[in-house]
Amino acid sequence: MTLQGWLLIAAFVAVLLALTKPMGLWLHALYEGHRTPLHSVLGPVERGFYRLSGIDPDEDQSWRRYAVHMLVFNAALLALTYLVLRAQGLLPLNPLGYGAVSEPLAFNTAVSFTTNTNWQSYGGESTMSNLSQMLGLTIHNFLSAATGIALAFAFFRGFARRSATGIGNFWADMTRVTLYLLLPICVVYALFLIASGVPQTLAGSVDVSTLEGIRQTLALGPVASQEAIKMLGTNGGGFFNANSAHPFENPNALTNLVQMLSIFVIGFGLTWTFGKAVGNTRQGWAILAAMLTIFLVGTAVTYSQEAAGNPILHSLGAAGGNMEGKDVRFGVVGSALFSVVTTAASCGAVNAMHDSFTALGGLIPLFNIQLGEVVIGGVGAGIYGFLLFAILAVFVAGLMVGRTPEYVGKKIEGREVKLAVLAIAVLPLMILGFTAIASVTEAGLAGPLNKGPHGFSEILYAFTSAVGNNGSAFAGLSANTPFYNGLLGVAMWVGRFFIIIPMLAVAGSLAAKKHTPATAGSFPTTGPLWTGLLIGIVLIVGGLTFLPGLALGPIADHFAMIRGQLF
Amino acid sequence: MARTPQKSLFTADLIVPAIGDAFRKLDPRELIRNPVMFTTAVVAVLLTVLLIAGHDGLAAGFKIQLVLWLWLTVLFGTFAEALAEGRGKAQAASLRATKADLIAKRLRGDGFEEVPASALRVGDVVLVETGDLIPSDGEVVAGVASVNEAAITGESAPVIREAGGDRSAVTAGTRVISDRIQVRVTVNPGQGFLDRMIALVEGAERQKTPNEIALTILLVGLTIIFLIAVGTIPSFASYAGGSIPISMLAALFITLIPTTIAALLSAIGIAGMDRLVRFNVLAKSGRAVEAAGDIDVLLLDKTGTITIGDRQATEFRPVGGTDVGELAEAALLASLADETPEGRSIVVLAREQFGLDTSALPEGAQVIPFTAQTRISGVDTGGRVIQKGAVQAILKANPGAGATTAATELRRITDEIARAGGTPLAVAVDGRLLGAIFLKDIVKAGIRERFGELRAMGIRTVMITGDNPLTAASIAAEAGVDDFLAEATPEDKLELIRKEQQGGRLVAMCGDGTNDAPALAQADVGVAMNTGTQAAREAGNMVDLDSDPTKLIEVVGLGKQLLMTRGALTTFSVANDVAKYFAIIPAMFVALYPGLGVLNVMGLSGPESAILSAIVFNALIIPLLVPLALKGVAYRPMGAGPLLARNLAVYGLGGLVAPFIGIKLIDLAVTGLGLA
């Protein structure tokens, strides 16, 4: 560990904290449907879109209607991507002449991008045409991110509204978030990336002579435009197989920092927006404090483990941190921080091989996802997931002040508890259940590259990543098989929508309730006590469930390493 | 059902029958009401069968102990519930004895016929005479009698029950000790007050409250999550090339699911109701007790709650140059025959301040009795007519005095007295105004501090009074209430409750009159006084047998204590899981990966001992917490912030740490005794 490394982490957090309120304010304007400075330019586009599609943006939808529209929309996009990938060979903008994507892979990829997971069982530059990348995949990067934020808005309305029947309009939320938030930032962001050396072209590849005089073919494409939203929307699906480790996706230390910042910035802002929406920004800061604490502890563990390196290699004379699977452009801290950020935020972009991390260094990314992607989390998904935990925390501990539990003025009763538990139980059920299936079936056992606990970690990580809609790969697992493509596809779909539906039902049920004014007797949901309680509940309910699996994977791996055994 | 001194929780006459009931409650039909304990029982059955049939390489002695402790876990839970119910059953038995064979004198034509009380129907009219027990709940339709209600309230001083007005309700099982009354029966057999009390204290009608249902859902949810966590271990282990014996998996599962709170949940609820009953308050449902904890606004009647019931004379204020001694003497004479507390206080004041020793009216004096029409009382001594009454009434009765300067002065003094929180009584002699008597409301000692506590708890107090706004404001300031409603009519009360509820607040009030009934029904917690009318007792969701309106404050505290006990034990139960993981996971996996032995932070002596210690701790913690569940956690009125900090430290942090210590100690014992 170096001072420089810690300064980078401190600067990273400081910039984000400075951006929290401005981003939160902007998001709040979209949440309320207020005018922004961009309306004078983009307002006509928004209205034209409504007129064209016959949508009344002021129609207040019940949670059921909101959910149905959201599902139909996502299912339609899923079908579109599946068709584009299957028909790739017949479609234009295919300079390298790639054929159709296989059925299991097309299914897996379509689900993956629809669910904001961006799990990639393929190498982008060797599988996808430019049209597939742009129409099939990048469109999801925008719309799945916008869906997440729209859903967070709907959930906020559940808390904020009083005796209301509706939780907003799905189409209006989607349009506003895409038009006034994601697109404008991405235009500027992509230009910055192009200036930093990221390609943006419709050409397929270029042949160059290297310094050694060898001719090499370098894959190119519309990379910058996909890269921007890949980060901002916490999607994580790289243009190239090497993802953000590829110099054409992430050329230097500055782009690396900006990419990490852009993964978190909307998630940070949404916590503020939540506080504003419920009438007390301290509510938002309390949530952010809990998330940030878990994040910083994770960062410290991974950074210290990676900086300490592997004692077995040290004894062989290779001093220093663990640089296996890391790029020297980023070094230990740039890779360690990136790995914690991308897994905390459900992004899944990677700039290093998580598989090559030390056992405990790699445990943190895995554990981050298992917590339910609520440490900042994916755009929108992070905050609504965390709020489900908050409901549980209020219910467990809220009784201790001698009142029926309340959160931001809403009584938490049987229905909310039932739905929150239902949503939260999806994670262990899918992650542990599918890992259990894969670890006893032949097709499943064929996947991992390594033996022993490390191989087990590879399987566990894949399902964790899919259910958590993270999409990062531990690597080492050969996942492009019908078995893994199919199972992971189901895992991603269930992991996304089986949490969303109960969450929206909670929103509907909360919106219908009266508001209970806070008094000195109300359970305090601001301040360090509450923050500590939230962390406790997230760790005990969200985290402890995975302890047996973690013990047999990375923890066993770690202690084996100490005893001089590697897998 | 006298207000019994706190009975010890663990006397033999309560424990012995509870043990029998604990086994009876193993009936699956009853056990399924508690899903977590039902699950535990299913696992216990499974392991019992496997013990007989299966072979998994573990020592039989270890497995027998495991099965034994699993069954004990279930039994401790049923025992806790049986013990809580047992306390109520004892009370129900004594109530039943009261009710045993009541005979009614049902009116028929000119006479009456004797029928058993069970033959009475709504609308029958019965005669109750001196020495008779009242056969059924009802309304007095004729006569007045003094009634001993000790059987219900434990209070031996008799109360007056009369036809009309707000004291017309009588209760079955109480005894008429003088005079005779006719009572119209208002309930059919089996639905009376006494029947309901019996059902309540017995817990027979007990239904899960909304909060209990929500908590049960959470506990079931956690159970399902842990079922997944444990159920997937075998395939993980098979990947690692080993297998885990079923009994070990079962042990992990049972220790992780929230058995502690599940076992104690219904005992907490029953004990909460029981605490109210001991406090001589009957809640008609558990829901009402929970609502009491949630109260945001307390409506309190001024008289009897905030001030002592009777006003006291504190000053004589002469007008028109009258000598104060003359005023005092006239007031004394006018009050000698006045047996009201106010009248007596005037006599006392006149004697103490002016040394007047008149103790009897002069010969031939005529007392002018108080009537609701004139609102004036007094005395005609033959020579003088002395009048005493409300200022307006005196002025009205003496039209000639209205225009004098004395009248102007009197009006000014009246205002002053009202502003100081008092009530003025004017005195006139032969139509001449002498002055006013300052009757002061005496605020109860210590009530101000109580309101301060309530404020700290986030509860707003509103004083309800029929006084004019000036007087009300002054008393409100003195008593330290947050708000007041002056010149309140029952409609105003109802309106206020509605308004508060619209703002999302929960309101509690108490009342006794028939015209309080709508407000009692509208309030979230309505405590009816037992001395009140039948209508009021029907409308409220609690009945205070002592008819003490101040108790509303304690009722709120009891409601909070019930919810807190539930929350504290839930938090404790969930926090316990951390230590249990650290006990069992290394024990389970150390054979697969020896390196995982490092996770055995407690240094438990071996895998079997570790698992046994965890399951023993998990079982023993239930009876250890039974006293806490039945007594409720310590409750002191304070704001939510400090309360949470305190409870989180005790039950959250304590829940994290305690099992580490407990399991280690049990491990030492288990190893020392050679049990594993």
Side-chain angles (χ1 to χ4, degrees), chain A residues 464-490:
Chain A
T464 303
S465 176
V467 176
N469 295 140
N470 182 278
S472 70
F474 206 51
L477 185 77
S478 308
N480 192 8
T481 63
F483 175 84
Y484 278 107
N485 275 333
L487 225 49
L488 288 168
V490 173

Side-chain angles (χ1 to χ4, degrees), chain A residues 243-258:
Chain A
N243 208 301
S244 279
H246 196 294
F248 283 174
E249 287 202 20
N250 190 6
N252 55 44
L254 179 63
T255 55
N256 195 49
L257 177 64
V258 172

Side-chain angles (χ1 to χ4, degrees), chain A residues 392 395-406 411-415 417-419 421 424-426 428-440 445 448 450-457 459-460 514-517 519-524 529-530 532-533 537 540-541 543-553 555-557 559-560 563 565 567, chain B residues 210-211 213-218 220-222 224-226 228-240 252 290-291 293-296 455-459 501-506 559-561 563-571 574-575 577-578 581-582 585 589 592-596 598-599 635 638-641 643-648 651-652 656:
Chain A
L392 279 201
F395 192 78
V396 170
L399 284 172
M400 282 198 294
V401 303
R403 283 175 72 94
T404 303
E406 295 155 359
K411 281 204 189 309
I412 304 300
E413 291 164 299
R415 184 172 161 79
V417 172
K418 180 160 62 186
L419 292 164
V421 168
I424 287 170
V426 166
L429 178 69
M430 298 306 289
I431 295 176
L432 296 175
F434 279 10
T435 304
I437 293 172
S439 45
V440 292
L445 290 172
N450 301 76
K451 290 193 295 285
H454 202 78
F456 180 73
S457 296
I459 300 177
L460 182 62
K514 280 195 264 187
H515 178 88
T516 311
T519 67
S522 304
F523 185 79
L529 208 58
W530 166 241
L533 186 68
I537 288 290
I540 291 180
V541 177
L544 272 188
T545 325
F546 297 99
L547 193 65
L550 292 174
L552 291 176
I555 298 175
D557 202 1
F559 289 116
R563 295 155 73 104
Q565 191 187 2
F567 294 95
Chain B
N211 181 262
I213 292 170
L215 194 52
T216 306
I217 291 170
L218 176 73
V220 170
L222 289 175
I224 293 170
I225 289 176
F226 289 123
I228 298 164
V230 176
T232 49
I233 289 177
S235 32
F236 296 176
S238 115
Y239 181 91
L252 177 62
E290 272 173 17
D294 283 350
I295 288 305
D296 300 290
R455 203 168 301 118
M457 287 155 63
I459 296 171
Q501 286 174 335
Q502 232 123 56
R505 283 172 282 264
L506 265 64
K560 284 195 180 296
Q561 193 188 30
L563 293 173
M564 275 167 52
T565 308
R566 229 178 252 159
L569 290 178
T570 307
T571 306
V574 172
D577 278 358
V578 177
Y581 265 115
F582 277 98
I585 292 287
F589 293 153
L592 302 174
Y593 299 113
L596 289 178
V598 183
L599 291 181
Y635 169 69
M638 55 172 117
L643 203 58
L644 179 67
R646 186 176 164 280
N647 285 334
L648 213 50
Y651 301 100
L656 275 181

Side-chain angles (χ1 to χ4, degrees), chain B residues 117-137:
Chain B
S118 56
L120 293 175
R121 290 293 177 271
V122 174
D124 286 350
V125 178
V126 295
L127 176 70
V128 193
E129 294 172 297
T130 307
D132 289 350
L133 283 171
I134 295 173
S136 165
D137 293 2

Side-chain angles (χ1 to χ4, degrees), chain B residues 298-309:
Chain B
L298 270 186
L299 304 190
L300 295 169
D301 280 322
K302 182 198 78 176
T303 308
T305 311
I306 295 170
T307 61
I308 57 174

